[in-house]
Amino acid sequence: MTDATLNDDAGELNPVPATDYLWRAIYIIAGFFIAAIFLMPIVWSISNSFKLPAETLSNPARLIPENFSLQNYRNLDTVGDGVLSFVGNSLYLAVGTVVVTLLISVPAGYGFSKFRFPGQNVLFIAILATMMIPFQSILTPLFLILVKLRLANTLNGLVLVYVTFQLPFSIFMMRNAFDAVPKALIESARIDGASQWSLMRRITLPLALPGVATVAMFAFLNSWNEFLAALIFLSQEEKFSLPVMLVNVTTGIRGLIDWGALQAGITLTMVPCILLFLALQRYYVRGLVAGAVK
Amino acid sequence: MTDLPEHRPSAEDEPISREPYQWLGLTLITPSLLFISLLFLLPLGMTVWMSLHSWPLLGTPRFIGGENFVELFGDGRFWRSIRFTVLYTVLVTSALFLVAFPLALLVDKPLRIAGLFRTIYFMPVVIGFGAAATLWTWLLNPDNGVFAELLLRAGIVDSAPRPTESFWPALLVVILMVVWKQAGFTMVILLTGLQSVSDDVIEAAKIDGAGPISRFFRVTLPLMRNAIILALVLNVTWSMLAFDQFFVITQGGPRNSTVTAVFSIYLESFSSYRLGYGSAMSMVLLIILVAISATQMAILNFRNTQE
């Protein structure tokens, strides 16, 4: 089965007969029409977030803001500890999850790929099998464990939870990435007298970087977007992540919803994901299919 | 399946380590084992243990044996949430396939522009469910939302619709939102299936005189079976675990009619603080999910032995 990337450069076909140009035109128009439907909610929300609050409310049909304004973003500051603190919380969660996930899954992938030890296959299969059990079904005891560890209602506690659920996929990806490094290369480096450490750091790790990029990107996106665990484990408003903060804005202060501020918050939450995806979409689709198929 | 190399260490494939390094391998995987044991296996075991207890958030847990499960069997609200989750799963999975299949066919063209379409159709997938659901809360709100505005302008309705105030409209708008957000994912899985069908097979069918429609149904579709089953398994599993979209858009309403299974576990454990009872619910959900997965695996195995 070939790899479906989102940006295959398949190029144009052979010269086409004139009637085919009509079909191609229909194809392109239909394609853009559907694209517009998929993009509309995103574009609309971004554009609205930059309107003056009054325009946000009165005139939802205008796509380009009449007056470009950051007032909606400033209005978010009236929620909890302010918008920047929520961005900070989400960044802390996401970057923390990426760093710890890499620190743990890269050595584990290397260990599974390049060493033989007793019980290896059983352990690897056991780790993969945990992917079958959804974290939603063990939230209650997880909460109690975090309380016992004095990590309930802390961002660090949530990072540990995110890392744990990121690990099976990440270890799987990293083992595959290290498996891909040609043995001959490692052999010749060892004959040249390279130590175990430099074998890993100088030879194999650089070649496994696409795997590292995939693991990092999924760890970032999954923790940035996660909602249920954040909702349960973070109880103080100043610790809320962006998705949890958004729901608080939706519920409104004294029943009054600030729709403009809400859209500023949505834009802050979704735009980083879209940019990251556009930059790394090749890795995204590869990881998606690999993770799904196992 | 992927372009990830399929190199697997085998018996004759000697490891790079010699004897003294054997245990280094085990050392390297130890941190991950600790994480998974402490924050995955331990809570999994605790779910079983807690389900046999009356376990308040504060105060001492009390062993009550199977009482939670006895209560659960007669708990109409819980079974209603399970029934609703199954209904949602059936509807949303069908809707996702109905939308994603044509999309996959559309973007399977060897044209540069098809790559651009793929990227755009897939884009909502990377937005989190929380943010996407909040975005739709705005789109759907009767005061200044786009849907109300469009329907009013088109003269379809006289007053702004309030979809979350009755059951079917509430369910419908959540399905609409999920299809918008997730169709791109199903599309990509189906696309890998479409691309796995070699051109030679299609050519051969063409020479045999099969028209485009019979080529699709008789050749392409059967050869895509793995991709179709994969997309089905994933969509069913995720839909059975749905929470965010209902928590944000319908808030379980109207009158708790859109409370999903995970939602009812959340309410029991973190609103009523009956942690033992919540754990019993978790176990039932887990058993249902494992049963679904096992069935789907069995179908896959059956299919593989057929070949």
Side-chain angles (χ1 to χ4, degrees):
Chain A
M1 198 178 275
T2 51
D3 164 39
T5 60
L6 290 175
N7 53 359
D8 265 354
D9 266 18
E12 305 284 312
L13 288 172
N14 300 322
V16 276
T19 52
D20 277 12
Y21 281 109
L22 177 69
W23 284 112
R24 189 172 288 193
I26 292 172
Y27 174 80
I28 291 171
I29 291 166
F32 273 112
F33 179 73
I34 299 168
I37 295 174
F38 273 89
L39 281 179
M40 193 210 65
I42 299 173
V43 173
W44 215 299
S45 187
I46 294 173
S47 121
N48 259 353
S49 75
F50 290 112
K51 288 175 181 170
L52 279 169
E55 199 192 342
T56 311
L57 293 179
S58 65
N59 197 355
R62 183 191 291 272
L63 196 59
I64 311 287
E66 215 162 49
N67 301 295
F68 182 86
S69 153
L70 289 175
Q71 191 55 46
N72 284 325
Y73 289 85
R74 280 189 221 109
N75 286 353
L76 265 181
D77 274 329
T78 57
V79 187
D81 272 10
V83 56
L84 280 181
S85 75
F86 295 120
V87 175
N89 289 347
S90 273
L91 266 182
Y92 185 91
L93 286 172
V95 173
T97 306
V98 169
V99 170
V100 183
T101 302
L102 287 179
L103 280 177
I104 292 177
S105 67
V106 171
Y110 191 69
F112 274 119
S113 172
K114 300 298 178 205
F115 293 87
R116 295 295 155 268
F117 47 86
Q120 184 175 28
N121 286 335
V122 176
L123 285 174
F124 188 72
I125 290 168
I127 289 176
L128 278 194
T130 59
M131 276 201 252
M132 308 262 286
I133 310 275
F135 81 96
Q136 287 92 333
S137 61
I138 58 170
L139 274 176
T140 315
L142 211 48
F143 176 74
L144 290 184
I145 291 170
L146 286 189
V147 170
K148 269 272 183 292
L149 295 172
R150 297 180 181 282
L151 286 169
N153 193 31
T154 66
L155 296 176
N156 287 333
L158 200 52
V159 166
L160 294 186
V161 171
Y162 288 165
V163 168
T164 306
F165 288 96
Q166 211 53 49
L167 277 180
F169 165 78
S170 306
I171 294 171
F172 173 73
M173 280 303 289
M174 287 320 304
R175 194 205 52 171
N176 275 356
F178 284 123
D179 275 354
V181 179
K183 251 190 75 190
L185 205 64
I186 297 169
E187 279 304 327
S188 64
R190 222 201 0 240
I191 289 162
D192 291 345
S195 66
Q196 281 288 331
W197 171 244
S198 70
L199 268 184
M200 171 169 175
R201 206 174 55 87
R202 310 253 306 271
I203 313 287
T204 39
L205 195 55
L207 288 168
L209 277 182
V212 174
T214 309
V215 168
M217 181 191 52
F218 276 93
F220 187 95
L221 284 174
N222 289 344
S223 49
W224 180 272
N225 285 332
E226 205 284 328
F227 179 69
L228 176 57
L231 180 75
I232 290 170
F233 296 145
L234 305 172
S235 50
Q236 276 166 292
E237 201 174 57
E238 71 251 30
K239 302 223 171 103
F240 281 176
S241 64
L242 280 169
V244 180
M245 178 278 281
L246 283 183
V247 172
N248 249 31
V249 180
T250 324
T251 342
I253 303 160
R254 288 182 288 278
L256 222 66
I257 303 171
D258 185 340
W259 293 107
L262 184 67
Q263 277 157 87
I266 294 166
T267 302
L268 282 173
T269 314
M270 69 181 179
V271 167
C273 304
I274 294 173
L275 294 179
L276 191 65
F277 161 68
L278 288 178
L280 294 172
Q281 51 173 305
R282 218 190 149 69
Y283 297 120
Y284 194 99
V285 174
R286 212 181 292 173
L288 197 74
V289 177
V293 179
K294 286 199 239 354
Chain B
M1 177 62 75
T2 65
D3 61 357
L4 285 168
E6 285 297 312
H7 165 83
R8 290 281 178 276
S10 60
E12 70 272 359
D13 191 11
E14 206 180 301
I16 62 162
S17 60
R18 297 283 183 263
E19 273 305 311
Y21 293 111
Q22 288 259 329
W23 293 96
L24 183 57
L26 199 54
T27 314
L28 286 173
I29 68 163
T30 305
S32 52
L33 294 179
L34 284 177
F35 261 77
I36 290 173
S37 309
L38 180 66
L39 292 174
F40 191 92
L41 296 180
L42 178 62
L44 189 60
M46 278 172 74
T47 304
V48 182
W49 180 240
M50 289 173 74
S51 70
L52 302 173
H53 287 72
S54 166
W55 199 302
L57 185 64
L58 306 168
T60 343
R62 188 168 51 88
F63 184 84
I64 54 168
E67 267 178 52
N68 280 330
F69 291 96
V70 173
E71 186 184 342
L72 203 54
F73 270 104
D75 186 345
R77 275 193 316 179
F78 177 67
W79 293 110
R80 191 154 88 133
S81 76
I82 295 275
R83 272 203 307 278
F84 173 71
T85 312
V86 172
L87 172 71
Y88 165 73
T89 299
V90 170
L91 292 179
V92 83
T93 304
S94 320
L96 278 168
F97 269 92
L98 280 178
V99 172
F101 226 119
L103 288 185
L105 292 171
L106 186 86
V107 298
D108 188 34
K109 292 274 176 293
L111 296 172
R112 197 156 290 178
I113 193 109
L116 175 70
F117 292 158
R118 271 178 233 177
T119 301
I120 293 175
Y121 304 162
F122 190 83
M123 217 184 275
V125 175
V126 299
I127 303 169
F129 259 105
T134 327
L135 172 57
W136 278 64
T137 307
W138 164 67
L139 288 176
L140 296 164
N141 93 78
D143 303 323
N144 58 354
V146 172
F147 278 118
E149 170 100 0
L150 287 177
L151 291 174
L152 284 170
R153 281 198 187 176
I156 297 170
V157 291
D158 302 326
S159 60
R162 298 172 180 273
T164 55
E165 284 177 7
S166 39
F167 176 75
W168 284 106
L171 179 55
L172 183 76
V173 293
V174 170
I175 290 173
L176 212 57
M177 179 292 233
V178 175
V179 168
W180 168 75
K181 185 179 140 29
Q182 286 297 100
F185 181 88
T186 308
M187 174 193 82
V188 166
I189 301 287
L190 293 176
L191 189 62
T192 58
L194 275 174
Q195 295 185 342
S196 73
V197 181
S198 78
D199 295 340
D200 300 348
V201 181
I202 302 287
E203 266 326 300
K206 219 182 257 181
I207 291 164
D208 289 346
I213 290 169
S214 85
R215 274 207 302 276
F216 177 75
F217 283 102
R218 298 246 176 114
V219 183
T220 311
L221 213 49
L223 287 172
M224 282 178 71
R225 220 166 124 179
N226 268 339
I228 293 171
I229 291 177
L230 177 65
L232 193 67
V233 172
L234 291 174
N235 283 329
V236 166
T237 311
W238 290 337
S239 309
M240 286 297 292
L241 293 167
F243 171 80
D244 307 6
Q245 55 270 49
F246 289 101
F247 184 82
V248 175
I249 295 180
T250 70
Q251 285 147 20
R255 289 180 308 285
N256 293 327
S257 59
T258 60
V259 170
T260 60
V262 172
F263 203 148
S264 66
I265 294 170
Y266 165 84
L267 290 175
E268 208 55 58
S269 294
F270 299 100
S271 285
S272 310
Y273 298 117
R274 296 180 68 201
L275 305 188
Y277 195 56
S279 301
M281 287 179 166
S282 299
M283 285 202 45
V284 172
L285 177 64
L286 203 54
I287 290 166
I288 294 175
L289 277 171
V290 169
I292 292 175
S293 302
T295 313
Q296 281 161 333
M297 294 292 176
I299 295 171
L300 261 178
N301 265 339
F302 173 73
R303 178 214 175 289
N304 285 340
T305 49
Q306 291 275 299
E307 277 175 354

